[in-house]
Amino acid sequence: MSRQIQISPSILSADFARLGEEVRAIDSAGADWIHVDVMDGHYVPNISIGAGVVKALKPHTSKPMDVHLMIAPCDRYLEDFAKAGSDMITVHAEAGPHLDRSLQAIRDLGVKAGVSLNPSTPETVLEYVMDRLDLILVMSVNPGFGGQSFIESQLTKIARLREMIGDRPIDLSVDGGVNAQNAARVVEAGANVLVAGSAVFGNNDESLYAANISAIRGE
Ligand code: DX5
Ligand code: ZN
């Protein structure tokens, strides 16, 4: 089955001193979404950026801001990220304490709601929240850092989630270690959104971004 593939470059691998320019560069290089990794140094062992950066970057792109919250507890920050201009907010299944409530809160803020599953988290945690979801983000590395290797066991989870989704309008995204070499297998397993940090930004040579994005897309 052929699906429209969306590429969501993760700005975690961008040059943080030039983030606005980097976002404009991936936007014009063919990015479909802009993936923003928010880390709190508590839920994951790294600290990155907050809602103020989402707000500052918003005028630099017309592409949807795909905001991945690796923070716990997440609820008290949802409004800040919605107001900052997030088009979708993804929380981790464990970031609760009440996933169903968090998902309702995101949609009530007028933003698309996503859940991310760590490599060890089974897809079954989503069984009773499927109708509250716009996006499922399968982590194919342990969250916290860019540049790690893709964990192959997640291909099975992707395939199972594609079955669970059925004909619901839910995007199935994969994040971590995705590159031009494995992207086709990830798509074949059932993903329709590919997040990629190092495979897009490489050494931050923006003349290569369009070719890097095309290569992941399989063009
Ligand atoms: C990891 C982040 C990813 C990361 C992906 O915690 O959620 O979005 O930036 O980077 P690569 O593509 O380099 O694995
Ligand atoms: Zn991410």
Side-chain angles (χ1 to χ4, degrees):
M1 182 181 181
S2 79
R3 286 188 188 90
Q4 177 81 27
I5 300 306
Q6 311 289 323
I7 306 292
S8 190
S10 162
I11 61 167
L12 191 64
S13 296
D15 177 351
F16 272 22
R18 300 167 40 251
L19 267 185
E21 273 171 63
E22 290 275 71
V23 166
R24 291 202 302 278
I26 51 169
D27 181 322
S28 54
D32 298 297
W33 299 356
I34 310 295
H35 186 85
V36 182
D37 287 308
V38 178
M39 303 176 178
D40 67 354
H42 165 75
Y43 181 69
V44 292
N46 196 7
I47 297 177
S48 59
I49 54 178
V53 175
V54 175
K55 187 175 180 192
L57 292 176
K58 186 73 176 170
H60 291 269
T61 182
S62 56
K63 306 288 169 68
M65 300 283 267
D66 166 25
V67 176
H68 178 191
L69 297 185
M70 287 162 272
I71 66 177
C74 58
D75 290 3
R76 56 192 271 220
Y77 297 103
L78 298 175
E79 188 174 356
D80 288 355
F81 281 96
K83 283 187 176 154
S86 306
D87 294 276
M88 31 202 145
I89 296 179
T90 297
V91 297
H92 274 253
E94 300 83 359
H98 301 292
L99 180 61
D100 184 275
R101 177 180 290 143
S102 302
L103 293 172
Q104 290 191 56
I106 296 169
R107 279 192 170 168
D108 286 348
L109 289 162
V111 175
K112 288 186 174 177
V115 174
S116 181
L117 304 179
N118 287 324
S120 66
T121 305
E123 65 284 357
T124 48
V125 297
L126 299 181
E127 201 172 343
Y128 296 100
V129 294
M130 289 300 282
D131 292 322
R132 300 210 189 282
L133 289 178
D134 301 294
L135 171 72
I136 299 169
L137 180 73
V138 173
M139 289 300 309
S140 40
V141 299
N142 286 292
F145 305 95
Q148 303 179 79
S149 299
F150 185 86
I151 299 175
E152 294 287 327
S153 61
Q154 300 311 300
L155 291 170
T156 304
K157 190 189 293 178
I158 296 163
R160 289 182 183 163
L161 281 164
R162 178 48 69 190
E163 279 205 12
M164 280 171 69
I165 289 170
D167 56 10
R168 292 179 179 89
I170 298 176
D171 286 307
L172 182 52
S173 179
V174 178
D175 183 8
V178 174
N179 55 39
Q181 287 70 47
N182 59 26
R185 286 189 295 128
V186 175
V187 169
E188 199 176 319
N192 70 299
V193 183
L194 302 175
V195 176
S198 29
V200 170
F201 285 96
N203 296 324
N204 301 106
D205 176 352
E206 68 175 70
S207 70
L208 300 176
Y209 293 171
N212 293 343
I213 289 171
S214 296
I216 297 165
R217 226 189 268 285
E219 292 167 349

